[in-house]
Amino acid sequence: MMAMVLFLLPCLLSTVYAMRENRHDLERREGRIGLGLFTKCRSAKCNDQTFEFPGDLGGTLAIKDCQVKKNQPFEGSDHHRMCEETCTVSLTNNESMTVKVWRKSGHGLQECELQKGGHYDLCRLAKCNDQTFELSGDGGTFAFKDCQLNQSKENQPIERLNGEAMCVETCTVLDSNEKSQTVQVRRQSGRRVKTCQLMGHDLCEDTCCVSKCGRSGQSKFQDCELKGPVTIGIRDFCVEKCKAASSGSGSVDVLRPSGGQAFCEPQAMDFVEQLEKDALSISDGQYGQLPLMKAVKVIFFLRKVKEDVLGPEFQAAEGHRTSREISTEVKHVAIIGDLHGQLFNLIAHLIRIKETYKDKGFIPLDGSSLLFCDPRMQYIFLGDYLDRGERGIELLLLLLAYKARCPKGLILLRGNHEDPDVWDDYGFGGELQHKFPYGHLFIRQEVSTLVSLLPYVAVVPGNFMAMHGGITPAFVKACTGKAGRFGKCLDRYIADMSAWADPHKGNGWIPSHRGEYIYEFGMDEAKAFLQSNGLKGIFRGHEQVETGHTSMVYDGYYVTTVFSAADYVDTFCRGQEPPWMFGAA
């Protein structure tokens, strides 16, 4: 009997244990836990524990006044018996908020866990005031002002971005027109100030979308209107048409970079004033000290002269593009020959001309101390502004500025050195590279295009013709008997060859020492050609003459050579060549 009892006892114990386990499984499935004396949740244990609270009013905060949900343990994810406590927390604005925490049931202090999915007022404050942001193009830098939080239900985030709670605020900014505009911005929820990001808006982000040169701080201009963008090199700029506040003249084109801050630069007037007054005061090769001698400004100015002055003049002279006829209204003509970069010679000649005609009552050019701009007065320049001299680009810019300010008062003829094929041999190419190391190729291209628009001949009907070189056999054959209207008979090839021609003292045609297919013309040929066109003489340059001008006369017909560069090829300042001329031909 005893043996049987000992045999059945293990079986009975295993059955009781299995029944107990089955009961626990059933309780787990039904959500019930055995409520033994030592498994109950009887006291709060989470007071003074700290947590990192999310939201605008969050931070590292301690929970207080915790109360436990008594005798109601629940099973955690790892089958531990868990207790729930309800506590309060003081937010950073001293408001109180109720939170729930969990902990394991047991003796002693337990680590408490903030209940997930709780309501923590994620978006409570506007935090974007005075933050700045940058827009491309003309947008510039803006600051958010008067921001207000867009409230959602129960202060919850408006949206989530990559899992982060985002708050949305409505702010005002001053747009590119200095007008108030409402925008929406978003930021990440949190106690610390987050970067605010601009959402959809109507602010300007184009390269050029608003006029800026007539604003306060740009007092040199008024009544500005945006014309549009222009690309110079690899940079974007904007052009505005403004009235110069200090002048009674008409509108001027103003250049500024695309962007928020406007640095507006006037054009022709400033080139006139700076080059007349300051260019010659810069010595020791410090050419860049002249404010306008910057590649971007020079390129823009050359383009504007091409587009607004020489280009329209060239198009208007259709059929006469190689020649210009001087108005019968003109009563006085000043002729200036080759200058070859001698800016000081140009200024000296202009001073002498102004002194000569000071009692005629001619109207001076606004902004210039040297030039007249009067319909009774005509300036004719015979070409060769470039090469050999030290200030070829400054001289050309000054002449073009005069032309831009007084289009009908100047005729700029093209010489054989207004040709990019000779610039590397005779100095102008080196000059550009020396003065504009980072923009010389763009300037060279603009000058090349611009000089191609210059005429070769100017005619005062019934009186004389002006040109750089002289007549050639092809010129005579094409243009004899045209009454001085050479535009239709003179093509570009004939005109180019005429820029290399010279007279000689004999008769007929003889080969020139200047190269193949170039001729020198005798005075008999000059007389016959002039006579057939009802003219009396030729004014031309191209040859250096010690006295500045000289004439050959034949039966009342004349050929006068005018050469205005006193220091041509280092005649007087020997040993003081500009640095780019060393070794030049």
Side-chain angles (χ1 to χ4, degrees):
M1 185 68 179
M2 181 62 70
M4 183 176 292
V5 171
L6 293 174
F7 173 78
L8 291 175
L9 184 59
C11 294
L12 181 61
L13 291 174
S14 64
T15 300
V16 172
Y17 181 79
M19 292 175 63
R20 181 183 178 187
E21 290 299 313
N22 288 338
R23 179 180 170 219
H24 281 186
D25 287 342
L26 178 62
E27 288 177 343
R28 289 189 186 101
R29 288 195 297 269
E30 292 179 352
R32 296 180 291 111
I33 300 295
L35 301 178
L37 180 62
F38 301 107
T39 61
K40 293 181 180 180
C41 300
R42 297 178 61 99
S43 61
K45 298 193 176 191
C46 292
N47 278 302
D48 297 322
Q49 291 198 31
T50 58
F51 297 90
E52 190 67 33
F53 282 84
D56 286 350
L57 301 177
T60 303
L61 306 174
I63 55 177
K64 303 285 185 180
D65 305 322
C66 295
Q67 296 182 4
V68 68
K69 193 173 183 180
K70 291 185 177 181
N71 301 325
Q72 296 186 37
F74 62 94
E75 185 177 9
S77 58
D78 55 358
H79 306 307
H80 284 289
R81 289 172 176 79
M82 307 293 293
C83 300
E84 179 180 287
E85 298 185 20
T86 301
C87 310
T88 59
V89 61
S90 294
L91 301 176
T92 53
N93 66 343
N94 295 321
E95 291 183 16
S96 293
M97 182 174 70
T98 300
V99 297
K100 292 183 178 181
V101 293
W102 296 331
R103 62 172 176 80
K104 291 179 181 179
S105 175
H107 293 287
L109 292 177
Q110 301 292 327
E111 183 179 353
C112 301
E113 178 183 349
L114 193 65
Q115 184 176 328
K116 295 181 179 179
H119 164 44
Y120 302 117
D121 287 353
L122 293 175
C123 300
R124 286 291 299 273
L125 300 173
K127 296 195 172 189
C128 292
N129 277 302
D130 297 322
Q131 284 202 33
T132 59
F133 66 99
E134 191 83 22
L135 288 180
S136 59
D138 263 356
T141 302
F142 297 84
F144 298 121
K145 298 291 184 182
D146 304 322
C147 296
Q148 296 183 357
L149 184 70
N150 290 17
Q151 295 284 4
S152 64
K153 185 178 180 181
E154 296 181 343
N155 299 323
Q156 290 305 290
I158 298 293
E159 60 177 301
R160 289 187 179 271
L161 185 65
N162 297 326
E164 298 289 345
M166 305 298 292
C167 305
V168 177
E169 301 181 21
T170 299
C171 308
T172 59
V173 297
L174 289 179
D175 64 17
S176 298
N177 288 310
E178 298 183 344
K179 295 180 180 179
S180 179
Q181 186 173 146
T182 301
V183 297
Q184 286 196 330
V185 295
R186 65 184 174 192
R187 60 171 176 82
Q188 186 177 337
S189 171
R191 179 183 176 185
R192 294 180 176 86
V193 177
K194 306 292 184 179
T195 300
C196 300
Q197 299 174 335
L198 189 66
M199 299 174 69
H201 62 87
D202 296 323
L203 299 174
C204 167
E205 287 191 273
D206 294 333
T207 298
C208 302
C209 53
V210 65
S211 173
K212 294 189 174 188
C213 290
R215 297 182 180 180
S216 58
Q218 299 289 343
S219 57
K220 296 168 70 174
F221 310 105
Q222 58 190 18
D223 302 330
C224 296
E225 295 181 1
L226 183 69
K227 292 184 67 176
V230 59
T231 299
I232 300 178
I234 59 174
R235 295 180 59 191
D236 293 325
F237 294 84
C238 306
V239 181
E240 299 186 26
K241 182 173 284 295
C242 305
K243 291 182 180 179
S246 61
S247 172
S249 61
S251 298
V252 296
D253 280 346
V254 178
L255 177 71
R256 65 170 176 83
S258 172
Q261 185 70 25
F263 300 98
C264 304
E265 297 285 354
Q267 292 306 308
M269 182 182 296
D270 271 17
F271 273 100
V272 168
E273 293 178 352
Q274 288 191 23
L275 291 168
E276 281 188 353
K277 297 176 182 178
D278 302 325
L280 293 180
S281 66
I282 296 174
S283 59
D284 298 325
Q286 302 299 313
Y287 307 102
Q289 291 180 3
L290 199 66
L292 286 175
M293 286 294 287
K294 304 293 185 290
V296 166
K297 299 176 183 180
V298 170
I299 292 169
F300 176 73
F301 176 65
L302 292 172
R303 285 188 184 178
K304 296 307 296 178
V305 173
K306 176 184 66 179
E307 295 169 1
D308 297 346
V309 183
L310 295 183
E313 184 180 278
F314 185 81
Q315 295 299 327
E318 184 176 0
H320 303 274
R321 291 174 177 172
T322 54
S323 180
R324 298 287 186 272
E325 187 172 301
I326 296 173
S327 169
T328 55
E329 190 177 0
V330 171
K331 305 302 180 184
H332 301 272
V333 177
I335 297 175
I336 299 178
D338 302 35
L339 288 163
H340 282 293
Q342 304 297 332
L343 181 62
F344 64 91
N345 283 155
L346 170 61
I347 290 175
H349 291 310
L350 294 178
I351 291 173
R352 183 178 180 184
I353 292 168
K354 191 164 187 179
E355 182 67 22
T356 300
Y357 292 100
K358 66 180 180 181
D359 297 327
K360 298 292 185 181
F362 292 159
I363 302 169
L365 175 64
D366 183 31
S368 171
S369 61
L370 303 177
L371 203 81
F372 293 117
C373 185
D374 191 290
R376 298 165 292 173
M377 178 73 181
Q378 183 76 61
Y379 295 87
I380 300 177
F381 293 85
L382 299 178
D384 276 15
Y385 318 109
L386 310 175
D387 284 332
R388 300 191 185 277
E390 184 182 10
R391 301 179 190 269
I393 186 63
E394 291 94 331
L395 187 147
L396 180 64
L397 290 172
L398 181 55
L399 291 178
L400 293 174
Y402 287 150
K403 180 72 175 175
R405 301 291 315 286
C406 187
K408 295 182 178 180
L410 280 80
I411 293 178
L412 304 178
L413 298 180
R414 185 175 183 178
N416 63 307
H417 281 269
E418 278 66 69
D419 182 348
D421 289 342
V422 304
W423 292 342
D424 290 331
D425 292 331
Y426 293 96
F428 185 61
E431 177 184 353
L432 292 181
Q433 190 169 359
H434 184 85
K435 294 179 179 179
F436 307 99
Y438 302 107
H440 63 97
L441 293 178
F442 293 109
I443 295 177
R444 181 179 178 127
Q445 180 59 49
E446 294 297 332
V447 174
S448 177
T449 303
L450 187 146
V451 297
S452 70
L453 301 175
L454 299 178
Y456 291 83
V457 184
V459 179
V460 178
N463 198 331
F464 66 86
M465 60 186 291
M467 58 198 311
H468 180 69
I471 58 174
T472 66
F475 197 130
V476 169
K477 181 178 180 181
C479 296
T480 293
K482 301 296 184 181
R485 294 180 175 86
F486 301 132
K488 292 185 177 181
C489 63
L490 191 62
D491 63 29
R492 181 57 62 90
Y493 174 77
I494 296 174
D496 279 339
M497 297 307 293
S498 74
W500 291 88
D502 296 300
H504 68 91
K505 295 180 179 180
N507 293 327
W509 304 97
I510 63 174
S512 172
H513 67 283
R514 296 184 184 273
E516 192 175 7
Y517 307 117
I518 301 174
Y519 292 90
E520 296 180 2
F521 59 93
M523 287 302 297
D524 58 332
E525 297 291 346
K527 172 189 172 182
F529 180 76
L530 291 168
Q531 195 173 39
S532 75
N533 283 283
L535 302 173
K536 300 292 183 64
I538 299 173
F539 284 96
R540 43 92 61 181
H542 196 43
E543 285 186 291
Q544 181 185 16
V545 290
E546 292 184 2
T547 58
H549 62 89
T550 187
S551 295
M552 291 187 287
V553 181
Y554 184 85
D555 289 346
Y557 294 88
Y558 60 90
V559 174
T560 297
T561 299
V562 181
F563 198 87
S564 301
D567 197 28
Y568 178 66
V569 293
D570 206 26
T571 302
F572 301 110
C573 300
R574 189 166 300 280
Q576 300 183 30
E577 304 96 332
W580 58 86
M581 286 297 294
F582 291 147

